Amino acid sequence: MKKLVAILMLATAIVAPETAFAKDLSITAQMGPYSGRPAYLAIYVTKPDGSYDSTLWIAGQKTRFYQDLRNWFRGIAASGETIDGITGASVGSGQTLSVNVTLADALIDAGYQLHVDSAVEDGGYYPNDVVLPLSTASSGKPVSGSGYVQSLTVTM
Amino acid sequence: MLRRLHSLPALIAALVVSFMALTGAFLSLDPAIQHFAASGTQTAGVNAAELASSVAANFPGVERIVKLASGSVIAYYSDGAGQVAATIDPQTGNSLGAYAPSPVFGFMTELHRSLFLGEGGRAVAGIGAFALVILSISGGLLLVARLGGWAKVFSAARGTFTQRLHVDIGRIAIAALLLTATTGTYMSLVNFGFISDGSGALAAFPTNVDGGKPAAIADLAALRATPLGDLRELVFPFRGDPTDVFTLTTNAGQGFVDQATGTMLSFTANNFGQSVYEAFYTLHTGQGVWWLGLLLGAAALCVPVMAASGTVIWWLRRRNLPKLNRNVAARAADTVILVGSEGNSTWGYAAALHEALTQAGHRVHTSAMNGIARDYGRARQMFILTATYGDGGPPASANRFLARLAKLETPALSFAVLGFGDRSFAHYCQFAADVETALVARGWSPFQPVGTIDRQSSQTFAQWGAATAARIGTQLHLVHTPARPRTTDLTLLTRVDYGVEVQAPTTVLRFGVAESARGGLFGLLGGRRLLRFEAGDLVGILPPGSSIPRYYSLASSSRQGFLEICVRKLQGGACSEYLHALAPGSTIEAFVKPNPNFRPASGRTPVIMIGAGTGIAPLAGFIQGNTRHRPMHLYFGGRDPHSDFLYEDAMAAWLEDTRLTRLVTAFSRIVDGAYVQDRVREDAEQIRTLVARGAQIMVCGGIDMARGAREAIDEIISPLGENALTLKAKGRYLEDVY
């Protein structure tokens, strides 16, 4: 986890040295029922102007499928970030993905949004399957997805 | 060694590989189904711009268009409620109906890839694929060795039904299986990251997007330049985002097309790794090459059959070998025992010798004579225990011994040969003597003369043990009582007697399975299995009070529902006298022993059969079973047509329905009498023609007749540059001699 924090600190442009406080986020994605192989998910943050900010987690490890996570892929390609150390297994139908990440306080309640893109091999691609504001008000409240993700819950 | 390399991974992997093969065979239907589903799709004359434009007009919410390997075109679009997909007619852009990938094939694909066990399952699948590579290669080499060289890879297989099944299916499927297994192993290695699939870390998204007003899709130059045949996927830009681009994937690579200017902003051609991956993917899945898929699927279906037949072969071989305690490795042994056995009875004696020598403190290595090692590092003495087969030839487990002896690197050893046989036959223990001669010719010295064991005598064996012990200065207590074979009760149904008038009393006995052996589960399993046989196989019969079987050739196959033999009464022959005294309804104890080396080769080539007296039995069985009417020519010899013309009526019927092409008889005790080999000589011309056409010759009868026939054939076919021996080497001259 320490490594992850370090990477996120590096990756998150807004994090300044004086940011003394960070928040632990628990993200839970409940996958809907579908037929097909385990889904690839990209969980990432966008800035208040809608542009890409940083990546929190990638479910799925074959790079040749990453471009199917369209919106995220476009953003990370422009940013030049790497995703070393923040990838895990893809998530199958009906399964639950739980990830804990640490975010700079400055990103909370500041107009930043958390996105999930989902894609399944030989199936559908859902850029912005889920979008929700990074706000304390939305903490713990499930948000429905439009694609493979049935609901997403972020708890701060 | 090769056999072990073949059978060990096979036994371990049999279940996994069979499972993979069955799921793979099922999946192989997918490309064919998709191919026929896509068969109406016309892709000619359409380019990506036209297709994208017409699809966008029909489906305003289109997100991407995919052309499957089968040629079907799929559009994914959002209809307001969610994402849906439709199959598209590329000529019009109209929907041909909703599209959903088959959940059944999706399920099977995952089962095939990972058994639904995640990475662990994928590892098992990969190991299974690799095991199949090893099996295909080692099996191929075994096949070559078994058939006698690369040139003979397509010659007829010999052996029991199971062995032939294994070999025949194997050589049909081996190329496809090797392809499937190699590509499967590659894909597994890619999955675990040992080999790159060529996909880079993260491809660059273009930064030089024009951002101006989007042009009409039909006018985008880069899309116009892409024929539909080359298209794989076209992802549309987000609606209302002029900075987004079209992502175009073609057979050649991937690029980004500016939606305002229509130019290709960047294009990354497939690299070598990607091309390799795609080729292997296609070769493994058959996606887009439906006939290859079906071919691979059909080959995969052979795998469970191979696994089952292979397991049976392995188990029978293992069951038939006696258990050797502490069998030391060849290089570590001080004493080597080599065994030449046809029906495994000699192995029992070898095991007793092995046990006694081990008890006396020796480090003993025992193996078949064919398994002779190149180097016995520390050995000081060698025992060779061997039977003799047929007319002085080597038994099955020693038929390559003399050839392999030439490659032996071990310095001269002190040795002793012990022969097993039946003194009433000519060439008694001939092969044992030949082996000694061959070893002496290599400069080895026997520490005692060749011993012989007549009719499995335990007493002689013990005496030989005592003599040997005295020579080598150890204690040897050799006790071996031949195990009584497992038998089935047979009831005599009918008997037909011949030849009494010509002093050759011969009877044709027809047996059925006795009531006592039929009932119950045991009867169903054990009884039936024991009694599956082909004409030409042997039946071992145990006369009362004897544990040593006498063998007779079978004139019937188990499909006929009875077991038939011909028995000539011999003076003082315990078993033949016993059989001649049987009345219908009496019961005997018998078992079946396969004799796969005496059978007509498969195919349509002619068969020339030469038999005299009771030697007609297996030949009659072959003719009886010749329902495919291949040409069969029979030369039959007896004494008097009125007395010992065995199967006279049956032969007339077989000639009538052409199961038998031609019958030539010779009778010796009549005016102008002749032997069967005389008739063969008279037909020299015709026989030569038949042999030139690939005919197979089968001889069955007594030793004198067999020798006469061989000489006659040698003369007849010498103009062809052949003789009985050269034909024998090709499996075209078979003898069953007694």
Side-chain angles (χ1 to χ4, degrees), chain A residues 35 37-38 62-64 66-68 70-74 76-78 81 121-128, chain B residues 64 76 83 101 109-110 113 122 191 197 199-203 205 233 235-236 238 241 243-244 247 254 277:
Chain A
S35 69
R37 313 212 175 107
K62 290 210 184 85
T63 51
R64 71 170 175 280
Y66 283 172
Q67 60 179 2
D68 301 342
R70 281 257 300 144
N71 202 39
W72 164 75
F73 185 73
R74 195 181 151 192
I76 195 166
E81 274 180 80
E121 184 188 350
D122 296 338
Y125 304 166
Y126 290 94
N128 303 321
Chain B
R64 64 190 168 108
Y76 291 84
Q83 196 181 69
T109 305
E110 201 50 37
R113 281 182 180 176
R122 285 170 179 264
N191 176 61
D197 63 359
S199 60
L202 295 169
F205 194 87
E233 186 183 53
V235 181
F236 286 69
F238 284 125
D241 181 354
T243 64
D244 202 359
T247 309
Q254 192 176 55
Y277 180 82

Side-chain angles (χ1 to χ4, degrees), chain B residues 324 327 336-340 347 365-373 376:
Chain B
L324 296 168
N327 196 9
V336 176
I337 302 174
L338 296 178
V339 187
W347 276 101
H365 172 76
T366 300
S367 80
M369 288 174 76
N370 281 342
I372 184 171
Y376 294 104

Side-chain angles (χ1 to χ4, degrees), chain B residues 296-385:
Chain B
L296 295 178
L301 281 180
C302 298
V303 169
V305 182
M306 299 286 286
S309 58
T311 307
V312 168
I313 292 167
W314 171 84
W315 187 75
L316 285 179
R317 181 180 295 127
R318 194 176 167 79
R319 193 192 60 170
N320 287 335
L321 293 183
K323 200 164 158 44
L324 296 168
N325 288 319
R326 285 199 282 157
N327 196 9
V328 177
R331 281 166 173 276
D334 61 55
T335 302
V336 176
I337 302 174
L338 296 178
V339 187
S341 179
E342 182 70 29
N344 284 326
S345 57
T346 308
W347 276 101
Y349 295 89
L353 179 61
H354 182 103
E355 180 68 29
L357 285 166
T358 304
Q359 291 284 336
H362 288 281
R363 294 170 59 75
V364 190
H365 172 76
T366 300
S367 80
M369 288 174 76
N370 281 342
I372 184 171
R374 281 200 178 188
D375 184 10
Y376 294 104
R378 303 181 193 172
R380 284 179 285 124
Q381 55 190 2
M382 179 181 277
F383 291 92
I384 296 179
L385 276 57

